[in-house]
Structure formats: C-alpha cells, structure tokens
Amino acid sequence: MEIIDAIILGIIQGLTEFLPVSSSGHLELGKAILGDESVPEESLLFTVVMHFATALSTLVIFRKEVFEILRGLLQFKWNEETQFSLKIILSMVPAVFLGLFFEEQLEALFGENLQLVGFMLLVTALLLFLADRAKDTQKSVSYPNAFIIGLSQAIAMLPGISRSGATISTSVLLGIDKTRAAKFSFLMVVPLIFGSIAKTLFEGKITLESDQLIPLSAGFIAAFVAGLIACTWMISLVKKSKLSYFAIYCLLVGAAAIIYSYFS
C-alpha cells in the first residue's frame, strides 16, 4: 500500500467512524476507487491499525468520563459508574454473538460489494432522517435500552450501515437525551474494538513486514487526528439536531454507489 493511499484511507476511517456515514462502507468505496489490491493479510492488518487509532481517539476525547468510570469501578460499589459499565457490557452482547458465530458470513459481505454498501447507506439515511425529527428528552440509558442499542450496533456490522448513525438514531428514537446518546454510542464500541483486535492478534492472522511500517504509521496518524476532529464535531451536531445533513449525504452516496456498481 502506498503512503498516500494509507493517509487517504486513514482519514476516511477517522472521519467516518464517528460521523454517521458508515466507516466500513466508505472504506470499501475508497478501496474500490483507489484500486486497492492488498493481499488479505495486509488489508486485515491495516484495518486493525485503523480501528485502534479511532478507539484511541475516543479514549482521548472521553478521557474524563473514562477516568470517572474506572475510579467508580475500583470502589466496588453499586454506583452509577458500575451500572453504566454493565449497560456497556449488555450492549456488546449482540455484536459479540454475531462476530463469534457468523464471522465468515459477515466477511463474505465485504470485498468491494458496492451494491450492498449503496443500499445499506440508504437505510442509514432513513434512520438519520427519523432520528433528527425525534423529540428531545432527558431520559438516561436503561438496561433494556442498552440491549436494543446493542442490536442496532450488531446490525451495523453490515458494510454501509453506520455504527454511530444506527446506535445514536436508535438511542434518540428510544427517547434518550441526545448528549447521553452520543456518549453511550461512542464508548460502547471501544471494548468491542479492543476485543476484536486482541482476537485477531491471538489467532495469528496478520503478519507485519518492514516495508509496511511507514504506510501503517501514516494511516494511523491520519485516522487518529481525523477521529479526534470527527468525534468532537459529531457530539456538537447531535446536540443541535443536524443529522439530516448526513442523511442527505448518505442518500446521495448510496445512490451513487448503486449506480457505480452497475457500470463498473
């Protein structure tokens, strides 16, 4: 992979991991447009590094909240932090189940399947339109809500369904406060990312060659910086109910992907 391609894909990953436009879908589009011919091991390694970069940017943005959660857990009491952590764990169950038992079926959906990406982006657009018109409330995330949001996160494993878009939209449609919805959406994915990275490393599916270090480093930095910007921006946009702009974007890109798939 060329350095410039790694930087472009890193920026795409960093922005789209947080903005509700589907990071997996845009990475598939980016690879198709750039003509990425990476061998599977190199492509998997790049994906792992990019996800690690965005997870790290999430921890940086929410460092205060993460510190408070850890401090609360260390008190070994049934406090707010313990309850929040249990809700995060509950939200992970659907995605973990899908990842463990349907990994091969999910992987088969990737690989420049632009038509599927296009249709799923249209679904994302619909979710965002609905969420932007939901009434603002002050509700917190309950245990049943956490599981339902987790279901939307599992569905978002499909290329083209935005994880942040699906989880935030689901939260808002359930009547959860928009700021809390964004916070829960971004924090709930961090354990999944680190768990997925650990699983991939332990399985020994990836190898690192010396000539990959510079492109990987460039992609990591690009994804990390873009992630910091996108995460901060997204929190502000959710508060201001500006998701419809991304709905229009997903609608246009989804339609373009479908058309492109027919003529490519």
Side-chain angles (χ1 to χ4, degrees):
M1 181 179 291
E2 298 294 331
I3 294 176
I4 185 63
D5 291 350
I7 293 174
I8 292 172
L9 291 175
I11 292 173
I12 291 174
Q13 168 66 25
L15 291 177
T16 57
E17 179 65 34
F18 299 101
L19 300 182
V21 293
S22 175
S23 60
S24 60
H26 277 72
L27 280 177
E28 290 300 308
L29 292 173
K31 289 177 181 178
I33 294 171
L34 293 172
D36 179 32
E37 298 178 354
S38 301
V39 294
E41 290 81 4
E42 181 183 345
S43 182
L44 178 58
L45 175 60
F46 184 80
T47 300
V48 167
V49 172
M50 294 306 98
H51 279 98
F52 178 72
T54 51
L56 189 60
S57 64
T58 303
L59 294 178
V60 171
I61 294 295
F62 291 102
R63 57 191 180 278
K64 180 180 178 182
E65 288 83 355
V66 172
F67 176 75
E68 290 177 351
I69 291 171
L70 293 175
R71 184 175 62 180
L73 287 174
L74 292 175
Q75 294 177 0
F76 300 103
K77 296 180 180 179
W78 187 248
N79 50 31
E80 185 178 341
E81 291 78 17
T82 301
Q83 294 177 52
F84 184 85
S85 299
L86 289 176
K87 291 172 186 176
I88 291 290
I89 294 172
L90 183 61
S91 73
M92 293 166 53
V93 172
V96 170
F97 176 83
L98 203 60
L100 289 177
F101 296 101
F102 297 94
E103 182 179 8
E104 292 183 3
Q105 291 86 341
L106 286 171
E107 289 179 352
L109 297 175
F110 290 81
E112 299 182 15
N113 192 347
L114 298 187
Q115 191 175 64
L116 175 63
V117 170
F119 281 114
M120 293 301 99
L121 280 170
L122 298 184
V123 173
T124 296
L126 177 61
L127 285 172
L128 295 174
F129 269 125
L130 293 174
D132 219 27
R133 284 154 180 75
K135 294 181 179 179
D136 194 12
T137 69
Q138 298 299 316
K139 286 179 61 177
S140 300
V141 180
S142 65
Y143 290 102
N145 288 343
F147 185 77
I148 294 172
I149 298 168
L151 288 174
S152 68
Q153 177 168 250
I155 294 171
M157 295 172 76
L158 295 171
I161 297 289
S162 165
R163 193 208 65 81
S164 63
T167 53
I168 292 175
S169 295
T170 301
S171 301
V172 172
L173 290 172
L174 288 171
I176 297 168
D177 172 71
K178 292 180 178 179
T179 301
R180 292 191 178 100
K183 174 184 174 181
F184 190 80
S185 171
F186 292 144
L187 288 177
M188 68 187 284
V189 75
V190 173
L192 279 178
I193 291 177
F194 284 124
S196 177
I197 292 173
K199 179 176 178 290
T200 303
L201 292 175
F202 283 126
E203 289 176 347
K205 291 183 177 180
I206 57 178
T207 56
L208 175 63
E209 303 293 338
S210 59
D211 60 347
Q212 297 174 341
L213 287 175
I214 295 178
L216 285 173
S217 298
F220 175 88
I221 294 171
F224 177 72
V225 174
L228 291 176
I229 296 171
C231 185
T232 304
W233 188 25
M234 187 59 188
I235 294 169
S236 174
L237 290 172
V238 172
K239 291 179 182 178
K240 297 176 182 177
S241 298
K242 300 293 184 181
L243 297 179
S244 58
Y245 296 117
F246 293 101
I248 295 171
Y249 174 81
C250 288
L251 183 64
L252 294 175
V253 174
I258 294 171
I259 294 171
Y260 182 83
S261 69
Y262 280 111
F263 293 98
S264 61

